[in-house]
């Protein structure tokens, strides 16, 4: 049974999942990883979701304030042996529900062109591709998305 829990970036399970995510991204992104990694710090994230399967952490995601009424979705990850089971969508929906409780109206995010599964996830969940924003402007490997929350 999958359990979704709210936490913050001090959560050890979240940090362990992020370490796995960073390892995978380093392999996928190669030399670009160093530049992108500096944009994905996990210090002081107040809004973190960790999904557990029988008390084992299997997926995560987080939110970072981006602008008034806008949150940026960060650090989405599902362990390899649990992919394809809808966990990423469950984490994303839990993050969106938290946003609504906080009166957030929009979610934005960035992912990489080397992550077609992530791109498919966001499109499937109603995110629209937008021009690269902020620090991602001019970054060839970046793809940015936005979703207006209902």
């Amino acid at each position: 049974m999958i359990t979704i829990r709210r936490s913050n970036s001090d959560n050890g399970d979240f940090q362990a999942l992020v370490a796995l995510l960073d390892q995978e991204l380093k392999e996928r992104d190669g030399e670009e990883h160093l530049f992108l990694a500096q944009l994905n710090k996990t210090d002081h994230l107040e809004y973190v979701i960790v999904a557990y399967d029988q008390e084992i952490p299997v997926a995560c995601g987080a939110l970072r304030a981006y602008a008034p009424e806008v949150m940026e979705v960060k650090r989405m990850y599902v362990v390899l042996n649990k992919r394809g089971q809808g966990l990423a969508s469950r984490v994303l929906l839990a993050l969106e529900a938290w946003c609504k409780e906080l009166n957030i109206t929009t979610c934005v995010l960035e992912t990489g062109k080397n992550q077609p599964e992530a791109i498919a996830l966001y499109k499937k969940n109603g995110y629209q591709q937008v021009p690269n924003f902020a620090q991602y402007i001019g970054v060839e490997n970046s793809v940015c998305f936005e979703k207006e929350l209902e």
Side-chain angles (χ1 to χ4, degrees), residues 70-103:
V70 181
M71 286 282 198
E72 183 178 7
V73 176
K74 304 292 289 178
R75 313 315 283 158
M76 291 286 298
Y77 182 73
V78 177
V79 295
L80 291 173
N81 67 335
K82 294 294 179 180
R83 292 184 184 172
Q85 300 177 25
L87 286 175
S89 288
R90 287 184 65 182
V91 168
L92 189 58
L93 290 173
L95 290 170
E96 290 175 5
W98 205 348
C99 283
K100 291 175 189 176
E101 290 173 28
L102 297 167
N103 296 313

Side-chain angles (χ1 to χ4, degrees), residues 10-31:
D10 294 334
N11 181 299
D13 293 332
F14 173 70
Q15 291 298 331
L17 290 167
V18 166
L20 294 172
L21 168 62
D22 285 340
Q23 182 179 355
E24 184 174 329
L25 291 177
K26 185 176 181 181
E27 292 171 15
R28 287 187 186 215
D29 295 335
E31 292 180 17

Side-chain angles (χ1 to χ4, degrees), residues 2-3 18 23 31 53 57 92 108 111 114 122 128 131 140 144 147 149:
I2 301 298
T3 306
V18 166
Q23 182 179 355
E31 292 180 17
D53 184 3
L92 189 58
V108 297
T111 193
N114 296 330
Y122 299 127
Q128 303 296 315
E140 257 326 284
C144 292
K147 180 178 181 180
L149 302 176

